[in-house]
Amino acid sequence: MTPTAREIARGDRDEWLRMRTALWPDDHTNEVGRYYRGEIPDMMVLVSPRPAGGLWGMAEWMLRPWADGCLTSPVGYLEGIWTDPDARRKGVASSLFRAGAAWARSRGCVELASDCALDNEVSYRFHVSLGFQEVERIICFRRDAQVE
């Protein structure tokens, strides 16, 4: 069975929320609602349906005006990709990536970009396997302004 990818549908909302929360633990209800209302026009959500129903993967793409290491605009940006543990190493994520890359090309992108956490070796290897090249490493800092 070859995994497929398609644009998310309204009926996929709960599954998308489940996977999005697994990837980024937080409350995503507001942003998911904004997407379905068409308030995020430069965003594409792709999903991979399970053969027996439900979803086993999702990818979120954005058109960004720029990205580190890129020379053109807009840039197709892979914001996040998730597959359920039982769907890994079965071509689900690759299928989602290919569909997202095609979407970005159809919107005039000649470059794609993405990121991953410094300590996420699995994500790093996945990106490299897709042909991404590392362009920068960064550690971000913050602090309260009121602390002296």
Side-chain angles (χ1 to χ4, degrees), residues 63-77 104 107-113:
L63 297 180
R64 289 189 179 188
W66 67 273
D68 291 324
C70 293
L71 303 173
T72 62
S73 182
V75 175
Y77 204 92
R107 275 137 185 93
C109 298
V110 295
E111 292 179 289
L112 305 174

Side-chain angles (χ1 to χ4, degrees), residues 76-90:
Y77 204 92
L78 177 59
E79 299 286 346
I81 190 164
W82 172 263
T83 58
D84 288 334
D86 67 318
R88 294 180 184 158
R89 305 202 54 82
K90 295 182 179 174

